[in-house]
Amino acid sequence: MKKILSMILASVMVLSLLAACGSKPQDPPAQDNPPKQEDNTPANDDKTPDAEPAEPEATGSITVAALASGYEEAYPGMWQEVCDAFTAQTGIAVNLICDKSLEDVIGPSMQGGEFPDVIHLATGREKGLTEQFIKDRNIADLNDVLSMTVPGESAKVSDKIVGGFTDTSVTNPYDDGHTYLAPMFYSPCGLFYNAGIFEEKGWSVPATWDEMWELADKAAAEDIALFTYPTTGYFDAFLYALMYSVGGPDFYNKALRYEEGIWDTPEAKQCFDIIAKLASYTNPVTPAQANDQDFTQNQQLVLDNKALFMPNGTWIVGEMAEAPRADGFQWGMTALPAAKAGGNGASYCWMEQAWIPAGAPNMDAAKQFVAFLYSDAACAIFAKGGAIQPVIGVAEGMEGDNKMFYSIYDNGADAAMGSFAAYNAVAGLGTVREVFLDPVNGLVNGSITEEQWIADVKAASDQMRANIMG
């Protein structure tokens, strides 16, 4: 992995690349995959079909639906500029739908059978729209897009995407060797905090969970909570990193596929115990604000020194750029602490996705648009909003906060990617978020116990395992 990180991001940044790893923006990310052996080849040649598909003709128009996340807030008009550049290059007109509540905008028409041609909406959102399309097998196969030439360039899509990003359980939810979700903006996830208050108080950022609990008591003495979270959805990246740091890749990979007995292991118990204890140190107002409308109020708790840490991704800087903050505030980011002294912490590499509904009316043109998302022109526009894509060389020369964020793996953190395996819809069986993550609100407000949560996870995992897609 270190070889890959050094090769791609040199000394300014590091990209975590585990060959079988993989999923956030406003509401994180849940999806995701088992790391595999390192591959020092930058392109995903194994994903490239033997026969090159014919390039579709550039005619007509398409509709693109994109989430207006923190990146769009940092650079208003980002998506429109990309759409305009695509039109200038191909002659295909684009009708753009860009909204913070994208599911509410496009959901009703899709229920009536009218689909956008391309959708940029990650898994892990509260409404679970992308997950529903995955479960219904309503997403188009993008394997041929990898062999397409990027519009306006000579390179193929597969030659531009960093190795490993199209070989995760997020992008390949059916484990059939085909890519269905295109990897988009990626972000190292971790615990974000105000570095200024640590300097002011003379506190050290915890390297282990034992040190974290010691800090919690110090902060409590000054009426500062240890922890908050935007929504329970942000626990996806948190849980993945926690499982990886506690149990390593073997435990991690088995957990992602709900292996029988996995939640009875000492590693699983340690993960459950850490989250339950963290809930007891969480600012009590958090659950009431942990929704897609009020989540920024929980993020504000950190800016106001009412909580020390929150799980998040690099988009947080743009999302809270205009928010008030305590004197001396300075962004800091750390990986999740190590499970034991001398061990490594871990950071989940969260990744957004773009995809094409199987019922898209303009399939050929839609695939051209997806290919264009990896063009130098599109990458440069997205970067203005801080949205970094897994494209070779795109993040070279980073400065400031982004340099710190994307260097997290250089500082000793293990990288985790991937998500829980997709499973077929079963009556009465909730989503991964509903089963694993949403109960954290109950742990904080006392409406459920850790034992109840674990029992529910075990029962649901049995059904998930029995209905894994593949």
Side-chain angles (χ1 to χ4, degrees):
M1 181 178 69
K2 295 298 182 183
K3 289 181 180 179
I4 302 175
L5 300 179
S6 300
M7 176 184 70
I8 300 171
L9 303 180
S11 61
V12 286
M13 69 160 280
V14 173
L15 169 62
S16 126
L17 296 176
L18 297 178
C21 313
S23 120
K24 181 151 207 98
Q26 214 179 102
D27 199 12
Q31 344 298 356
D32 328 352
N33 91 220
K36 47 182 212 192
Q37 227 175 358
E38 293 179 277
D39 180 0
N40 289 328
T41 59
N44 293 299
D45 295 330
D46 58 327
K47 292 296 174 187
T48 304
D50 294 335
E52 294 184 15
E55 302 299 336
E57 290 186 25
T59 58
S61 64
I62 60 173
T63 297
V64 173
L67 177 70
S69 65
Y71 300 128
E72 180 76 20
E73 291 183 21
Y75 183 54
M78 177 182 77
W79 273 103
Q80 186 61 60
E81 190 171 338
V82 169
C83 292
D84 291 344
F86 173 73
T87 300
Q89 181 61 53
T90 65
I92 301 173
V94 179
N95 170 38
L96 174 66
I97 302 170
C98 190
D99 198 278
K100 286 184 177 181
S101 301
L102 188 63
E103 300 94 330
D104 296 334
V105 175
I106 65 176
S109 60
M110 290 200 298
Q111 289 179 357
E114 297 181 13
F115 300 97
D117 295 291
V118 179
I119 298 176
H120 174 264
L121 187 71
T123 55
R125 299 268 299 165
E126 186 172 358
K127 297 184 185 298
L129 186 148
T130 300
E131 286 88 340
Q132 191 58 55
F133 270 72
I134 292 172
K135 289 181 180 180
D136 292 343
R137 294 184 177 269
N138 242 344
I139 294 184
D141 188 334
L142 299 182
N143 244 35
D144 55 345
V145 174
L146 300 177
S147 293
M148 289 173 58
T149 299
V150 177
E153 300 181 7
S154 59
K156 295 186 184 304
V157 173
S158 60
D159 293 333
K160 302 202 69 173
I161 299 177
V162 170
F165 269 84
T166 58
D167 191 23
T168 78
S169 60
V170 180
T171 54
N172 304 11
Y174 308 124
D175 194 28
D176 61 358
H178 287 243
T179 297
Y180 293 83
L181 293 93
M184 285 294 289
F185 316 137
Y186 76 92
S187 171
C189 294
L191 298 178
F192 285 71
Y193 62 95
N194 174 12
I197 194 173
F198 278 77
E199 182 177 350
E200 174 189 334
K201 303 290 186 182
W203 294 339
S204 297
V205 175
T208 66
W209 283 106
D210 285 340
E211 292 177 7
M212 183 68 84
W213 310 137
E214 292 175 6
L215 176 62
D217 294 333
K218 293 179 183 178
E222 303 200 27
D223 294 324
I224 303 173
L226 176 70
F227 192 69
T228 187
Y229 51 90
T231 71
T232 54
Y234 282 68
F235 267 92
D236 60 353
F238 182 97
L239 179 58
Y240 293 135
L242 181 62
M243 291 193 302
Y244 197 94
S245 66
V246 168
D250 184 58
F251 169 76
Y252 183 72
N253 295 341
K254 292 176 180 178
L256 293 185
R257 296 192 66 79
Y258 324 106
E259 181 171 295
E260 187 171 1
I262 194 66
W263 307 121
D264 292 313
T265 62
E267 293 85 356
K269 185 63 166 66
Q270 186 175 1
C271 291
F272 289 129
D273 287 348
I274 287 173
I275 292 177
K277 189 168 184 176
L278 196 57
S280 70
Y281 285 114
T282 297
N283 190 305
V285 306
T286 298
Q289 301 173 164
N291 55 68
D292 285 348
Q293 290 71 48
D294 304 317
F295 71 97
T296 56
Q297 296 181 43
N298 284 336
Q299 295 176 166
Q300 188 66 43
L301 295 175
V302 173
L303 277 69
D304 292 338
N305 290 335
K306 294 180 180 178
L308 288 184
F309 294 105
M310 64 175 164
N312 225 301
T314 57
W315 58 85
I316 183 64
V317 176
E319 196 165 64
M320 302 299 286
E322 303 302 321
R325 59 203 64 208
D327 292 341
F329 182 90
Q330 181 181 348
W331 283 113
M333 175 189 177
T334 183
L336 266 65
K340 58 184 177 181
N344 288 343
S347 167
Y348 184 76
C349 186
W350 191 81
M351 173 177 57
E352 300 184 39
Q353 308 95 38
W355 45 280
I356 299 175
N362 305 289
M363 188 65 68
D364 286 346
K367 289 185 175 182
Q368 262 206 297
F369 184 83
V370 172
F372 183 76
L373 294 176
Y374 301 98
S375 67
D376 291 346
C379 288
I381 295 168
F382 286 134
K384 294 177 183 178
I388 306 303
Q389 292 169 274
V391 171
I392 296 171
V394 74
E396 293 178 0
M398 279 186 170
E399 298 178 350
D401 288 336
N402 272 341
K403 181 177 181 180
M404 172 188 66
F405 298 153
Y406 284 84
S407 296
I408 192 169
Y409 304 113
D410 274 342
N411 298 327
D414 286 335
M417 292 179 72
S419 62
F420 285 110
Y423 50 90
N424 293 306
V426 177
L429 177 59
T431 64
V432 164
R433 172 170 171 161
E434 290 170 335
V435 172
F436 287 87
L437 313 181
D438 285 350
V440 174
N441 279 337
L443 293 174
V444 175
N445 63 32
S447 62
I448 68 166
T449 65
E450 180 184 357
E451 291 70 26
Q452 288 173 310
W453 177 38
I454 295 173
D456 290 343
V457 165
K458 290 180 180 179
S461 288
D462 288 341
Q463 295 187 70
M464 293 170 176
R465 180 174 62 256
N467 291 279
I468 285 180
M469 290 183 174

